[in-house]
Amino acid sequence: MPSLLVPRNVLIWHVHGSWTESFVAGRHRYLIPVDADRGADGRGLAGRTWPQASEIRVENLADADIDLVVLQRPADLELATRLLGRRPGADVPAVYVEHNAPRPYAVDSMHPLAERSDIPLVHVTEFNELMWDNGSAPTRVIGHGVADRGSLYTGEIAAAAAMMNEPVRRWRTVGADLLAPLSRYAPIDVWGMGTEGLHDDPRCAGAVSGRGDISGSAVLDEVARRRVYLHTARWTSLGLSLLEAMCAGMPVVAVASTMAPLAVPPEAGVVSADRSVLGDALARFVSDPAAAEVAGKAAREHALAHFGLDRFHADWDRLIEEVCE
């Protein structure tokens, strides 16, 4: 983007922490609603340090100077209209970011914005854009961007690492049912919200250890001490945790579903729908540190080339200028 980029006042709710962290690291002014309850509609910064972002009380939104509203949930249309006194897409420019793969059906799910032609619908992967029925909504794909914290990989612990939130509740969606059978090939340590519940779930017997939720970047330091990263999700968008692990220099073993086959090149690990192939790959990387290191370097190079923050912000700057003009 040219250096003459005009910073805009962008209103965005704090819905997905990791994605939001990347988004608000751009060159605009980001306003994040906060209320007394600090619930889903008024979480504010939630303790995060985001220099370009500031909290705004929900009762002050009606008088706020807003150039763009970023919608992320179907209810955000009504929420923004009520709090702003302005209709997104009609009275104030807006975009809708769809973070998820289509539900409940893989190919027959009509997107909530399918009948809106005045609000660009932004998908985070090409797979999602292809699979959702977007109707007449104008669509754009802006892939994830992750910050480069350097090559953190040590692989000193002969185990696999995985990151997933609420695995007991989301079970097959995030592939938590695969943890127990795959743990026969290598021990698996799992981080994320609700992972402690894996210890008490009889479906997850085996060498699986729920490590809990470690906030911020500290979790990646622990994950990168494991020999290989395991991505088991069946039906989610391309997880930022997978990209962060690759950026840290970890080799990858991933279920061949949604966007993963296109995000993990062959030299960076193994992507397969065959459980035995996945298990053999885990065992091979755990037992061969040299091979794991080589694959991890390839994973890092790929992640930096395709999922860097510079590209992410440039894509968003172009769309923001288009919409605001």
Side-chain angles (χ1 to χ4, degrees):
M1 288 298 294
S3 58
L4 295 179
L5 171 78
V6 177
R8 305 289 185 172
N9 294 329
V10 179
L11 177 65
I12 178 170
W13 276 264
H14 185 169
V15 176
H16 295 282
S18 295
W19 184 89
T20 305
E21 181 165 337
S22 292
F23 183 76
V24 303
R27 293 190 285 171
H28 299 278
R29 295 179 291 265
Y30 306 94
L31 305 176
I32 302 182
V34 64
D35 59 23
D37 295 334
R38 293 188 176 269
D41 295 337
R43 186 172 290 129
L45 294 175
R48 306 293 186 97
T49 302
W50 293 337
Q52 294 295 100
S54 59
E55 294 181 344
I56 182 169
R57 302 290 305 181
V58 293
E59 58 266 28
N60 295 333
L61 284 172
D63 298 321
D65 180 15
I66 305 295
D67 295 313
L68 177 73
V69 180
V70 178
L71 310 166
Q72 301 173 79
R73 302 164 296 180
D76 284 353
L77 278 165
E78 185 280 329
L79 179 67
T81 301
R82 173 166 50 85
L83 294 177
L84 291 170
R86 287 162 278 178
R87 296 166 298 166
D91 304 319
V92 60
V95 298
Y96 189 108
V97 180
E98 179 52 68
H99 294 281
N100 299 314
R103 293 176 184 169
Y105 307 111
V107 295
D108 294 324
S109 290
M110 180 77 72
H111 196 275
L113 258 69
E115 303 305 321
R116 298 288 298 260
S117 60
D118 56 343
I119 300 179
L121 175 54
V122 182
H123 290 284
V124 297
T125 72
E126 289 83 359
F127 180 90
N128 289 359
E129 196 273 341
L130 176 71
M131 301 300 277
W132 274 106
D133 183 346
N134 300 300
S136 59
T139 62
R140 183 77 62 91
V141 177
I142 298 182
H144 289 312
V146 295
D148 179 19
R149 295 185 52 226
S151 182
L152 305 177
Y153 181 66
T154 66
E156 63 200 79
I157 298 176
M163 290 187 275
M164 59 182 72
N165 287 326
E166 301 184 73
V168 174
R169 180 181 68 83
R170 300 169 71 199
W171 199 244
R172 283 181 55 83
T173 298
V174 295
D177 61 300
L178 301 175
L179 294 173
L182 289 177
S183 73
R184 293 196 291 267
Y185 296 86
I188 303 172
D189 294 328
V190 189
W191 282 265
M193 292 185 291
T195 52
E196 302 95 328
L198 293 170
H199 297 297
D200 302 320
D201 196 303
R203 299 172 296 177
C204 205
V208 179
S209 179
R211 298 285 180 167
D213 186 27
I214 301 177
S215 61
S217 59
V219 63
L220 201 55
D221 293 328
E222 282 299 314
V223 168
R225 297 177 63 204
R226 274 63 187 176
R227 191 72 48 80
V228 58
Y229 187 77
L230 173 64
H231 180 70
T232 58
R234 274 195 182 85
W235 195 248
T236 66
S237 289
L238 182 61
L240 278 168
S241 57
L242 169 63
L243 301 179
E244 289 167 347
M246 292 173 65
C247 195
M250 297 190 72
V252 171
V253 172
V255 169
S257 183
T258 61
M259 197 67 184
L262 298 177
V264 182
E267 62 271 19
V270 174
V271 181
S272 178
D274 187 322
R275 301 183 195 202
S276 63
V277 171
L278 295 173
D280 288 341
L282 285 179
R284 184 170 71 256
F285 280 130
V286 167
S287 63
D288 190 344
E293 183 177 3
V294 170
K297 288 180 178 178
R300 174 169 164 75
E301 290 175 1
H302 184 83
L304 291 177
H306 293 85
F307 301 103
L309 281 184
D310 287 345
R311 190 274 311 157
F312 177 73
H313 289 144
D315 288 350
W316 269 107
D317 287 345
R318 279 189 288 270
L319 179 59
I320 288 172
E321 285 305 299
E322 289 176 21
V323 175
C324 289
E325 289 177 354

